[in-house]
Amino acid sequence: MTHPAPVDVPTRDLFRLDGRTILLSGGAGAVGLCVGKAILESGGDIVLLDVAQSPNAAQWEDIEETAKINNTKAFYYQADVTEAETIPPLFDRIREDVRFPLRGLVACAGISGEGDAVDYDINVFRKILDVNVTGTFLVAQAVGRDMHRANVTGSIVLIASMSGWVSNRGINTSAYNASKSALHQLTRSLAAEWGHPQNTFPGSTPSDTNPNPSMEPRKAYPPIRVNSLSPGHIETPISEAARKRGLTDEWARQNMLGRVSQVQEFRAPCLFLLGEGSSYMTGADLRVDGGHCAW
């Protein structure tokens, strides 16, 4: 049986996230903090994960003040998303601390590295894929398990990039581009698995990942929607080096709006994908790039 459409949700509530906890990996970064604050303002509680031991003090104070004003809650945990063995016990802690089940994920954790392909350090290449792809999968997997455990619907947003659609003109970032293209495919694959039990044939062929496959029908769970969001170039504190090289001005000339985006411009797209306003959207990529890829 399919999950019913939320046709009775008032229009004013299509972007609301009341009674939900949303997890953000890379939560101490510019996008994570900005989107996290927007979630608090929309009625949701947030869990921020980041490799940093603690968030910036002034920014965290702003987050806590926002939570207080909106009667919401914010939690922060230090975590390396690539350390698979630490993820389950971390989620056990989170489950004990939060007041509402996890109903959403915004996977922001990611790194890049410029370098010519013929000289690219293979260890750096592997690290970028490990953080951007494997780390994203591990967090999405843990969130999916938690949603199944709580028997709730949910929405997962993987922060990809327009660089998963096109190569970055004038800057050599083959590992980053490959990783973001992989997130587009990971989005489609998870959306297919978690949208409806009939999306997967019964049983499976024996393999290293599934040595003793069952032929029983898979257990039915409420649907988890999975979409990706592909930003264009974003003005953030870490783009200072790009500004000094004149790259920011060049990037602005490469899109239809003639400017680089601001982190605040990704609040509404994330809220849309997390909330009931996008209830019939899954397996899709929402490209917010100022028309960069359409030119």
Side-chain angles (χ1 to χ4, degrees):
M1 180 178 179
T2 58
H3 197 77
V7 294
D8 296 325
V9 177
T11 302
R12 66 177 181 274
D13 293 338
L14 291 177
F15 287 74
R16 295 291 303 178
L17 298 169
D18 302 88
R20 308 182 191 197
T21 300
I22 310 297
L23 187 142
L24 299 95
S25 62
V31 174
L33 285 168
C34 185
V35 172
K37 182 176 178 179
I39 292 168
L40 293 171
E41 292 172 334
S42 300
D45 291 355
I46 61 170
V47 172
L48 304 182
L49 302 185
D50 202 279
V51 70
Q53 190 65 38
S54 60
N56 174 277
Q59 292 172 323
W60 183 246
E61 183 178 348
D62 184 41
I63 287 287
E64 290 191 314
E65 181 63 23
T66 301
K68 182 179 179 180
I69 292 171
N70 291 278
N71 196 30
T72 48
K73 290 185 177 293
F75 304 86
Y76 184 89
Y77 302 87
Q78 191 276 333
D80 183 336
V81 296
T82 67
E83 295 180 351
E85 68 280 1
T86 68
I87 300 296
L90 172 62
F91 272 70
D92 288 340
R93 287 175 54 202
I94 292 171
R95 201 178 303 115
E96 291 179 358
D97 291 343
V98 299
R99 56 179 181 169
F100 304 121
L102 283 175
R103 295 279 306 281
L105 164 66
V106 182
C108 304
I111 58 174
S112 185
E114 184 181 359
D116 296 348
V118 292
D119 299 317
Y120 214 101
D121 186 317
I122 192 60
N123 293 317
V124 176
F125 196 100
R126 286 176 174 143
K127 181 178 180 181
I128 290 172
L129 293 183
D130 199 24
V131 173
N132 295 5
V133 183
T134 306
T136 297
F137 172 75
L138 287 170
V139 174
Q141 179 188 56
V143 170
R145 284 174 175 165
D146 238 54
M147 291 178 184
H148 284 173
R149 177 176 178 151
N151 206 42
V152 295
T153 60
S155 178
I156 289 175
V157 183
L158 307 185
I159 302 298
S161 172
M162 68 175 188
S163 302
W165 288 104
V166 297
S167 180
N168 294 324
R169 183 183 301 175
I171 183 168
N172 297 335
T173 52
S174 56
Y176 178 80
N177 297 354
S179 73
K180 293 302 183 177
S181 186
L183 289 188
H184 289 155
Q185 186 57 272
L186 181 61
T187 293
R188 292 186 284 265
S189 300
L190 296 181
E193 284 195 40
W194 296 342
H196 194 279
Q198 292 181 0
N199 293 346
T200 305
F201 296 123
S204 62
T205 303
S207 65
D208 290 342
T209 57
N210 195 19
N212 299 300
S214 170
M215 294 305 293
E216 297 296 319
R218 284 177 167 79
K219 185 176 178 180
Y221 295 101
I224 302 171
R225 297 185 298 106
V226 187
N227 295 288
S228 59
L229 172 63
S230 288
H233 294 295
I234 310 174
E235 184 83 30
T236 68
I238 62 174
S239 60
E240 177 63 28
R243 282 193 295 275
K244 290 180 178 178
R245 291 173 58 192
L247 294 181
T248 303
D249 292 337
E250 178 58 33
W251 291 337
R253 288 190 286 269
Q254 292 175 10
N255 68 60
M256 296 178 178
L257 295 181
R259 63 176 177 83
V260 174
S261 70
Q262 303 297 312
V263 291
Q264 292 84 356
E265 295 181 284
F266 299 95
R267 293 174 296 172
C270 283
L271 292 175
F272 166 67
L273 292 174
L274 289 169
E276 300 298 349
S278 59
S279 58
Y280 199 55
M281 184 174 178
T282 197
D285 179 63
L286 180 58
R287 203 169 64 208
V288 185
D289 66 351
H292 185 108
C293 294
W295 219 347

